[in-house]
Amino acid sequence: YMGSVPTMSAGGRGVNTPGVKKLLEAEAKAAELVKKARNQKQVRMKQARDEAEAEINAYRSQREQEFQRKQTANAGNTGDVAAKIKKDTESKLIDLEKSVTDNKQQVIQKLLDIVCQVDPQLHINFAARK
């Protein structure tokens, strides 16, 4: 309360008591201290927010660098893995071609034996009609 000092009337004359004046001064001083404390709190909150943001940015930068480093390291491995897969595939294809060449005549002979071996029988439905 920052208005004029209230006066009390005692028998028609205005009285300014020192106690009321002292209370008003204390109230003004308290209001100023509260205002100052709020300003300091705002400053501290802004400072804490800025520090947290800087810490987050530093952490993000560190993790990004680590990610880039790992990605670069794995890029070299990817080429090695692709070459190994290609080599393994070629090796397996060569093995399969050799197996086909080695077993071709046996398979042809088995197929001819099965096709040429005929065992004539009446169909089950024909036999059931009798």
Side-chain angles (χ1 to χ4, degrees):
Y1 176 77
M2 302 298 269
S4 63
V5 178
T7 60
M8 301 177 123
S9 65
R13 43 181 199 173
V15 178
N16 282 335
T17 60
V20 172
K21 195 172 193 179
K22 203 172 201 179
L23 281 174
L24 289 174
E25 289 173 0
E27 185 180 345
K29 189 174 183 180
E32 186 63 33
L33 286 174
V34 168
K35 182 179 177 184
K36 187 176 180 182
R38 283 186 183 147
N39 288 342
Q40 287 175 347
K41 181 181 176 184
Q42 286 178 347
V43 168
R44 283 193 312 263
M45 289 297 288
K46 185 180 183 327
Q47 182 182 5
R49 193 177 310 120
D50 291 345
E51 288 174 3
E53 191 173 315
E55 191 174 321
I56 289 169
N57 288 337
Y59 180 74
R60 181 180 292 136
S61 175
Q62 174 193 358
R63 295 296 289 181
E64 181 68 26
Q65 288 174 356
E66 187 176 323
F67 173 75
Q68 292 296 333
R69 184 178 46 78
K70 285 182 180 181
Q71 193 172 25
T72 303
N74 287 338
N77 292 343
T78 304
D80 295 343
V81 170
K84 185 176 187 289
I85 290 172
K86 185 175 181 180
K87 182 179 176 183
D88 289 347
T89 303
E90 289 174 356
S91 173
K92 288 180 182 179
L93 283 174
I94 290 171
D95 290 345
L96 285 173
E97 288 174 4
K98 184 179 183 308
S99 176
V100 167
T101 304
D102 291 347
N103 297 317
K104 185 176 186 179
Q105 288 302 318
Q106 293 173 355
V107 172
I108 290 173
Q109 188 58 47
K110 283 184 181 181
L111 286 173
L112 285 174
D113 289 344
I114 292 171
V115 170
C116 293
Q117 183 183 2
V118 178
D119 185 21
Q121 294 179 352
L122 290 176
H123 193 272
I124 191 168
N125 289 340
F126 183 76
R129 274 199 229 165
K130 290 186 178 185

